[in-house]
Amino acid sequence: MRAKIVAGNWKMNNDLAMTQSLITELKKQSQTSNAEVMIAPSFTNLWPAFEALKNHKIEVVAQNMHQKASGAYTGEVSAEMLKSIGVNTVILGHSERREYFDETNALLAEKVDAALKNGMRVIFCFGEVLDDRKSGWAESVVKTQLKESLFHLDKSAFENIILAYEPVWAIGTGETATPEQAQEIHKHVRNVLTEKYDDELAESVSILYGGSVKPGNAKEIFSKPDVDGGLIGGASLNASDFYAIVNAI
Ligand code: PGA
C-alpha cells in the first residue's frame, strides 16, 4: 500500500510567533488520520517547529537545501545541517525554486543525491508551465524532469522518494487541475516509471498533487486512484483548512 501524505508548504510565510501559533492550532485540529502529515516552515523556524511538535505525529520538513555538505556558500543550508536538527525530509524542485532561483534538472539531481546520501526523504516536485500544457507537451516535459533529475538512481533509492506533480499554472492561481488532468499525469508518471524500472516500483511510489488544493476540491482530487495526497501551499497557512484537506484523504 502506498503511503498517503499531505504536506503543507508554508513558503516564505510565518515569522516565529506565527509559526508557534499556527502549530498550536494544528495540534488542536489534528486527529487520527490515515495520512502522514507534514509541514514545511522556513529554515529559521524549523527548530522551533520541531520543538513545538515533539512527541507529535506532524513531521517537520525543509523547503530546500544546498547540494554541497559545507563550505563557502554564503546563505545556504546543507542536508547535514538539516539532519543535525532532526529534519529527515526535504522538498526539492519546487517550481518557484526552478523559476526564481534557476534550479535546473541537473542541479536538482545533485540535490537529490545529497539528500539521499544523508538518509533523507525527498519530496520531488515537477510539472509543466501553461504554454507546455497548451501545446500538448505536458507529458513530455514531466518525463524529462523525472529523467534528468531522478533516473540515475537505483530502484532501491525510490523508497525515499515522494513525487509531487505541481502544474505550474495551478500554483497559487486558484486554478486547479481537474481531477481528471491530475489523474492523467499521475498515471503517465507511473507508466514512465514502469518503462525505466518496473511495475513494482511504479506502483509503490506515492505521487502527490499540488496546485490550489482547497477544502472544497481536495476530496475529488484525492479520490483519483493514482493521487496519493497533496502538497498544499496557501491553504496550509490556516489550520482548519489544512486539516479539512488532511481529512479528505
Ligand atoms: P498552492 O501552492 O496550494 O498555494 O497553489 C502549492 C505549492 O506551491 O506547493
Side-chain angles (χ1 to χ4, degrees):
M1 255 267 279
R2 290 191 292 268
K4 304 275 186 204
I5 298 165
V6 178
N9 174 11
W10 290 5
K11 309 192 179 183
M12 198 172 73
N13 293 296
N14 294 335
D15 63 13
L16 177 59
M18 289 154 89
T19 296
Q20 285 164 335
S21 77
L22 182 50
I23 288 176
T24 304
E25 287 307 308
L26 288 171
K27 282 160 111 177
K28 281 189 208 148
Q29 298 274 337
S30 83
Q31 27 176 288
T32 331
S33 152
N34 294 333
E36 286 181 45
V37 179
M38 304 174 183
I39 55 166
S42 62
F43 283 136
T44 56
N45 291 313
L46 285 171
W47 176 249
F50 204 73
E51 288 281 290
L53 285 165
K54 250 188 197 150
N55 306 320
H56 201 282
K57 276 182 72 183
I58 299 175
E59 184 182 347
V60 179
V61 314
Q63 297 177 19
N64 179 35
M65 51 165 252
H66 195 265
Q67 65 276 20
K68 293 281 202 300
S70 61
Y73 301 98
T74 303
E76 294 295 326
V77 171
S78 66
E80 284 76 357
M81 291 169 181
L82 293 172
K83 279 294 283 191
S84 75
I85 62 162
V87 174
N88 292 318
T89 304
V90 61
I91 299 171
L92 293 176
H94 192 280
S95 66
E96 288 149 18
R97 300 291 320 169
R98 294 174 187 265
E99 184 182 350
Y100 306 135
F101 303 96
D102 298 326
E103 295 199 358
T104 61
N105 293 340
L107 173 75
L108 290 168
E110 288 183 48
K111 291 195 175 197
V112 167
D113 288 347
L116 295 179
K117 191 175 128 223
N118 282 282
M120 294 180 77
R121 288 200 294 180
V122 171
I123 301 178
F124 183 80
C125 305
F126 59 94
E128 80 285 0
V129 298
L130 189 57
D131 277 352
D132 296 330
R133 174 149 289 267
K134 283 186 178 155
S135 323
W137 294 339
E139 291 195 354
S140 72
V141 166
V142 158
K143 185 173 177 177
T144 303
Q145 289 171 327
L146 297 176
K147 194 168 131 197
E148 293 184 358
S149 299
L150 299 180
F151 282 6
H152 61 288
L153 299 173
D154 288 343
K155 183 179 166 186
S156 63
F158 278 81
E159 279 172 24
N160 289 315
I161 302 281
I162 298 156
L163 297 176
Y165 169 53
E166 297 211 309
V168 180
W169 48 272
I171 296 178
T173 57
E175 189 165 341
T176 326
T178 63
E180 291 68 31
Q181 285 171 322
Q183 168 60 23
E184 196 173 53
I185 297 287
H186 286 220
K187 184 75 203 151
H188 166 68
V189 168
R190 290 201 203 282
N191 292 340
V192 168
L193 289 171
T194 300
E195 239 170 71
K196 168 68 188 172
Y197 297 94
D198 56 30
D199 248 346
E200 185 194 25
L201 172 83
E203 288 303 319
S204 67
V205 178
S206 295
I207 311 179
L208 317 184
Y209 167 80
S212 299
V213 179
K214 306 282 176 227
N217 59 22
K219 203 170 180 130
E220 218 190 333
I221 297 171
F222 296 163
S223 70
K224 291 295 174 191
D226 289 297
V227 178
D228 304 308
L231 182 56
I232 320 300
S236 71
L237 300 175
N238 175 291
S240 47
D241 285 355
F242 186 57
Y243 265 95
I245 294 170
V246 171
N247 293 333
I249 282 269

